[in-house]
């Protein structure tokens, strides 16, 4: 087997770094786009309920585009591979994000159309292609489970450093440049230009392998794709957990409101951002932990920490000590699904092939991507509606008690409830226990 076609258990350092470039780029983009509701309400002076409606309508497209993206990827067969060609979409993600935060003064209707169009292109088209190809790419670039776990852990460490930088710097920039539409355009450009360029590193340096699974480049019709999904309950249990996690993660951007109106200083949000520095230390030990515990058990333990952390945040008020402790537990809770969901999707692919005799890849990766985007999108929608019902007014320096209570609920109590639901979903996710037998059976079939 040729070395340049596979990342083996001994991972070449340059390919590990290259693999992480797109993850860093997209993760930083997600952090920034999470501030879209804040930008619309506080800079463009759009009603929170209107912003929520715009994002909700945009998300209706995702149900179609994710399935279409999965179908396209499953039927892609190029010299570059099946998933690799779609990595260039990261450039267009950043281009449309820059346009998103460069909304001209077109009146309320014009602003609404602009935000809807750019947000839909960034998420329903370009981010969809990236998310739908993620698990397909790693399954074709990395052969063994252990190598994947190591790669994902290192990838997570690098991604977290990038996300920490953006999460720490962005609130500071909001307090300085983010006081005008022009200032926001400059802020986004500061991140978009370098991160859009860095994001194509994976495409340039990581190849898909040509053996075993990668050799299965037959066409997959829509009926086969749908049947594969219908017969696999595990992908939907996983998708439910991923959706809830991404809701929790994205609704965390309401922390900007929390620090501005509850704590009284939006710049202190950067202190909380520094808590994520602990993530790389934990990820170092994740491959060893995953040798002893299944993915579902690790996810459940993380969710329990998330419940405790958000309860503490709900009781914290302006107490920075409690806020820091609550967010520290939240960071630990986020790790399993944040970084290892794509590897769990590969198990779902293997289960489908084992059960049905035909391998479908893009569709399963697309379901995971769809869940991620819907969760993130719903967080913006729910934030907009809850804040609207509570009569939040971004032009006021001091909010009403109802608005402040809505901010606290979004920042703590709602995430705590969703973490509890994740634990329930993982109780029914039994695929981890089945995988040793499934892997052995598939290996025997492929060697015939």
């Amino acid at each position: 087997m040729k070395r340049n076609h596979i990342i083996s258990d001994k991972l070449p350092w340059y390919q590990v770094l290259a693999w992480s470039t797109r993850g860093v780029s997209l993760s930083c983009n997600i952090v920034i786009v999470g501030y879209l509701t804040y930008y619309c309400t506080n800079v463009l002076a759009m009603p929170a309920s209107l912003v929520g409606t715009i994002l909700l309508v945009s998300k209706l497209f995702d149900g179609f585009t994710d399935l279409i993206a999965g179908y396209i990827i499953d039927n892609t067969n190029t010299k570059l591979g099946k998933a690799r060609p779609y990595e260039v979409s990261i450039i267009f993600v950043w281009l449309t994000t820059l346009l998103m935060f460069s909304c001209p003064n077109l009146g309320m209707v014009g602003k609404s159309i602009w935000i809807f169009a750019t947000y839909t292109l960034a998420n329903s088209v370009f981010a969809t292609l990236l998310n739908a190809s993620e698990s397909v790419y790693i399954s074709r670039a990395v052969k063994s489970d252990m190598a994947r776990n190591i790669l994902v852990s290192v990838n997570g460490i690098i991604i977290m450093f990038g996300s920490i930088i953006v999460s720490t710097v962005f609130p500071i920039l909001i307090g300085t440049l983010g006081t005008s539409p022009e200032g926001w355009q400059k802020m986004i450009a500061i991140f978009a230009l370098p991160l859009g360029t860095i994001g194509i590193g994976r495409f340039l340096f990581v190849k898909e392998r040509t053996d075993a699974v990668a050799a299965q480049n037959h066409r997959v019709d829509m009926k086969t794709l749908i049947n594969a999904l219908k017969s696999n309950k595990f992908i939907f249990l996983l998708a439910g957990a991923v959706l809830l996690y991404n809701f929790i993660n994205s609704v965390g951007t309401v922390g900007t409101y929390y620090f501005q109106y509850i704590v009284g200083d939006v710049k202190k949000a950067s202190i909380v951002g520094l808590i994520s520095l602990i993530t790389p230390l934990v990820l170092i030990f994740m491959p060893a932990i995953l040798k002893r515990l299944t993915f579902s058990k690790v996810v459940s333990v993380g969710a329990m920490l998330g419940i405790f952390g958000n309860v503490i945040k709900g009781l914290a008020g302006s107490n920075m000590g409690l806020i820091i402790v609550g967010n520290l537990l939240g960071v630990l809770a986020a790790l399993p699904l944040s970084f290892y969901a794509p590897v769990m999707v590969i198990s779902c692919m293997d289960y489908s092939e084992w059960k049905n005799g035909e391998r479908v890849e893009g569709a399963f990766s697309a379901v995971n991507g769809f869940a991620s985007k819907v969760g993130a999108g719903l967080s913006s929608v729910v934030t907009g509606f809850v804040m609207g019902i509570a009569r939040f007014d971004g032009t006021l320096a001091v909010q009403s008690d109802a608005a402040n209570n809505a901010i606290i609920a979004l920042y703590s109590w709602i995430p705590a409830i969703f973490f509890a639901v994740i634990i329930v979903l993982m109780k029914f996710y039994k695929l981890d226990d089945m995988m040793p037998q499934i892997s052995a059976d598939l290996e025997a079939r492929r060697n015939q």
Side-chain angles (χ1 to χ4, degrees):
M1 195 174 297
K2 294 182 179 180
R3 174 66 175 230
N4 65 337
H5 284 304
I6 181 171
I7 301 177
S8 66
D9 286 304
K10 296 181 180 179
L11 303 174
W13 66 269
Y14 70 92
Q15 286 185 318
V16 173
L17 294 178
W19 181 267
S20 302
T21 55
R22 199 265 277 171
V24 169
S25 182
L26 188 59
S27 294
C28 292
N29 181 269
I30 291 171
V31 171
I32 291 172
V33 173
Y35 288 92
L36 180 61
T37 299
Y38 181 87
Y39 168 76
C40 291
T41 57
N42 288 40
V43 179
L44 301 183
M46 298 172 66
S49 57
L50 174 60
V51 177
T53 302
I54 291 170
L55 300 182
L56 175 61
V57 174
S58 176
K59 284 303 167 186
L60 295 177
F61 285 90
D62 279 338
F64 299 100
T65 57
D66 276 276
L67 186 59
I68 292 171
Y71 177 78
I72 291 172
I73 292 170
D74 272 322
N75 289 285
T76 296
N77 183 15
T78 71
K79 292 182 179 179
L80 293 174
K82 182 181 287 286
R84 187 183 176 196
Y86 300 102
E87 289 293 308
V88 295
S89 298
I90 189 64
I91 296 174
F92 299 99
V93 167
W94 279 107
L95 177 60
T96 49
T97 299
L98 180 59
L99 292 172
M100 191 187 309
F101 288 92
S102 302
C103 183
N105 188 12
L106 300 172
M108 196 61 66
V109 174
K111 291 176 184 177
S112 300
I113 295 173
W114 184 279
I115 295 298
F116 172 79
T118 53
Y119 183 80
T120 300
L121 283 172
N123 288 275
S124 299
V125 179
F126 301 121
T128 290
L129 289 170
L130 292 174
N131 289 323
S133 63
E134 176 75 13
S135 294
V136 180
Y137 201 170
I138 193 171
S139 70
R140 289 168 168 264
V142 186
K143 184 177 182 180
S144 73
D145 292 338
M146 180 53 63
R148 290 168 186 160
N149 291 340
I150 293 173
L151 180 62
V152 169
S153 296
V154 176
N155 181 56
I157 292 171
I158 297 173
I159 285 176
M160 284 307 303
F161 276 120
S163 298
I164 288 168
I165 292 172
V166 174
S167 298
T168 303
V169 173
F170 209 77
I172 297 175
L173 292 179
I174 290 176
T176 54
L177 292 175
T179 56
S180 67
E182 294 77 14
W184 274 83
Q185 186 177 20
K186 292 178 182 178
M187 281 196 302
I188 304 304
I190 288 172
F191 293 99
L193 296 176
L195 288 170
T197 303
I198 291 171
I200 61 172
R202 182 188 296 185
F203 168 79
L204 294 175
F205 299 106
V206 181
K207 297 180 179 180
E208 294 185 16
R209 73 185 197 267
T210 57
D211 68 306
V213 174
Q216 301 180 34
N217 283 321
H218 57 279
R219 291 188 61 82
V220 178
D221 58 43
M222 186 62 73
K223 181 179 179 181
T224 300
L225 185 152
I226 293 174
N227 287 336
L229 292 175
K230 287 170 59 178
S231 63
N232 194 325
K233 65 179 180 180
F234 299 113
I235 188 63
F236 294 105
L237 290 170
L238 175 59
V242 168
L243 186 154
L244 293 173
Y245 158 71
N246 278 277
F247 180 98
I248 294 166
N249 185 56
S250 298
V251 83
T253 57
V254 81
T256 305
Y257 295 105
Y258 188 90
F259 279 90
Q260 181 169 343
Y261 299 109
I262 307 300
V263 177
D265 186 355
V266 70
K267 293 182 180 180
K268 287 186 177 179
S270 297
I271 298 175
V272 173
L274 293 174
I275 296 173
S276 298
L277 288 171
I278 193 175
T279 300
L281 299 177
V282 179
L283 285 172
I284 291 173
F285 299 101
M286 283 302 292
I289 293 173
L290 289 170
K291 284 184 178 180
R292 294 168 174 80
L293 296 176
T294 63
F295 284 115
S296 58
K297 289 180 180 178
V298 173
V299 170
S300 295
V301 171
M304 291 178 64
L305 294 176
I307 293 173
F308 293 136
N310 280 285
V311 168
I312 291 172
K313 286 162 59 179
L315 301 173
S318 60
N319 186 312
M320 284 300 296
L322 291 178
I323 293 172
I324 289 172
V325 171
N327 278 279
L328 174 60
L329 293 175
V331 167
L332 296 176
L335 292 181
L337 283 173
S338 179
F339 296 109
Y340 294 94
V343 181
M344 296 175 74
V345 171
I346 295 174
S347 296
C348 293
M349 295 177 188
D350 289 342
Y351 171 77
S352 179
E353 182 183 358
W354 176 77
K355 182 176 181 180
N356 301 317
E358 189 165 11
R359 189 172 185 85
V360 174
E361 297 175 298
F364 288 102
S365 194
V367 169
N368 182 60
F370 172 66
S372 299
K373 289 192 283 108
V374 170
L378 282 177
S379 73
S380 297
V381 173
V382 172
T383 298
F385 279 117
V386 171
M387 302 274 275
I389 292 172
R391 299 187 180 280
F392 170 84
D393 187 345
T395 63
L396 299 178
V398 179
Q399 298 297 324
S400 66
D401 289 341
N404 286 334
N405 287 334
I407 291 170
I408 294 171
L410 288 165
Y411 190 60
S412 58
W413 302 118
I414 293 176
I417 293 170
F418 283 2
F419 270 125
V421 178
I422 289 175
I423 293 175
V424 174
L425 291 174
M426 288 297 100
K427 288 291 184 181
F428 295 95
Y429 188 87
K430 306 296 185 181
L431 183 55
D432 292 330
D433 297 328
M434 301 168 61
M435 282 311 298
Q437 185 61 51
I438 290 174
S439 298
D441 290 347
L442 289 178
E443 187 69 21
R445 289 183 197 175
R446 292 166 185 166
N447 290 332
Q448 287 180 353

